[in-house]
Amino acid sequence: ETGVTQTPRHLVMGMTNKKSLKCEQHLGHNAMYWYKQSAKKPLELMFVYSLEERVENNSVPSRFSPECPNSSHLFLHLHTLQPEDSALYLCASSQVPTDYDYGYTFGSGTRLTVV
Amino acid sequence: QKEVEQNSGPLSVPEGAIASLNCTYSDRVSQSFFWYRQYSGKSPELIMSIYSNGDKEDGRFTAQLNKASQYVSLLIRDSQPSDSATYLCAVNGLGTQGGSEKLVFGKGTKLTVNP
């Protein structure tokens, strides 16, 4: 496995379900990120973990709960979501301080649909 | 609020022409700038990074940075139909906690290269 791997690729869940998104990076980076991408909106930064410590939480509703057990793994736990939470959820990793030549490496994303 | 502005397009150019993509940013302390390409249904992939004023060339791609004008652009020479994608401008900024960093993305410009 190389790069950043996200599972599952697609997820359909009801509003009362609990599910988790998983991200794993094989690049030796020390920071990981969750982004949300909705139609016609810029990528929205949700959470940042740097050296396994959460350093950013951009007013994300509590129905989204991140977990970073080590520098290679990142989870996003989901519960009681709303239909407006349907989007592409992207995980990314990077080396901080910023590696100017490489920026962020993104995973393939999880396409989430809340019904 | 740090902002990154891009024309949403769509931008349509004929095959073989030069495609010019523009981006402005609001945070004067931003240090590094990135262009990502995102094909429909796929995750963003880094194509260029720049952090010094002037031009940086890589194959058919040239990134241009003018920090005084807070402006960064991407030129694609000899455009090919395979270049048809959404191009995201991203600007490095400081996170909310000391030492943390984050990328702020524009909405993206959709480019179509017509054969």
Side-chain angles (χ1 to χ4, degrees):
Chain A
E1 291 275 13
T2 58
V4 180
T5 304
Q6 283 187 249
T7 55
R9 293 293 304 275
H10 301 274
L11 177 62
V12 179
M13 59 186 288
M15 289 190 283
T16 58
N17 290 159
K18 288 184 180 182
K19 297 286 184 183
S20 296
L21 310 184
K22 179 183 176 183
C23 178
E24 183 174 0
Q25 61 98 359
H26 307 272
L27 300 168
H29 288 162
N30 58 8
M32 297 186 77
Y33 313 81
W34 280 117
Y35 277 88
K36 175 184 178 183
Q37 189 174 37
S38 305
K40 301 189 188 304
K41 286 187 176 181
L43 281 165
E44 300 172 58
L45 180 64
M46 300 175 72
F47 302 104
V48 179
Y49 278 83
S50 179
L51 300 174
E52 301 165 32
E53 177 184 353
R54 190 192 309 180
V55 296
E56 186 105 9
N57 178 345
N58 279 347
S59 303
V60 179
S62 59
R63 56 186 184 269
F64 295 92
S65 175
E67 179 189 0
C68 186
N70 55 60
S71 60
S72 298
H73 294 85
L74 185 65
F75 295 89
L76 187 62
H77 304 298
L78 317 170
H79 65 97
T80 59
L81 295 190
Q82 304 298 309
E84 60 265 28
D85 297 322
S86 298
L88 179 67
Y89 289 84
L90 290 161
C91 173
S93 70
S94 75
Q95 187 66 20
V96 292
T98 298
D99 184 328
Y100 294 123
D101 289 330
Y102 296 103
Y104 289 12
T105 301
F106 283 88
S108 299
T110 295
R111 173 67 64 184
L112 173 66
T113 303
V114 181
V115 297
Chain B
Q1 177 74 16
K2 302 177 181 66
E3 291 186 350
V4 178
E5 299 288 338
Q6 293 181 254
N7 288 329
S8 60
L11 174 65
S12 184
V13 301
E15 184 174 356
I18 295 175
S20 178
L21 305 162
N22 305 314
C23 174
T24 59
Y25 58 95
S26 63
D27 187 0
R28 285 195 167 273
V29 302
S30 297
Q31 293 296 315
S32 51
F33 308 85
F34 303 87
W35 283 100
Y36 284 81
R37 177 176 62 200
Q38 187 174 23
Y39 292 114
S40 180
K42 302 294 185 181
S43 61
E45 57 177 325
L46 181 69
I47 53 172
M48 289 286 287
S49 63
I50 187 168
Y51 49 91
S52 299
N53 276 327
D55 295 358
K56 179 181 177 182
E57 186 174 322
D58 184 0
R60 295 187 296 111
F61 299 96
T62 299
Q64 299 174 316
L65 174 62
N66 184 326
K67 290 187 179 181
S69 299
Q70 296 175 242
Y71 175 90
V72 58
S73 66
L74 179 70
L75 300 178
I76 306 175
R77 290 182 302 282
D78 188 24
S79 296
Q80 302 296 310
S82 58
D83 295 325
S84 298
T86 295
Y87 289 81
L88 304 174
C89 174
V91 175
N92 173 264
L94 294 177
T96 57
Q97 293 193 18
S100 67
E101 302 178 2
K102 63 180 183 181
L103 285 186
V104 179
F105 286 82
K107 289 185 180 181
T109 299
K110 185 173 182 180
L111 171 67
T112 301
V113 180
N114 300 305

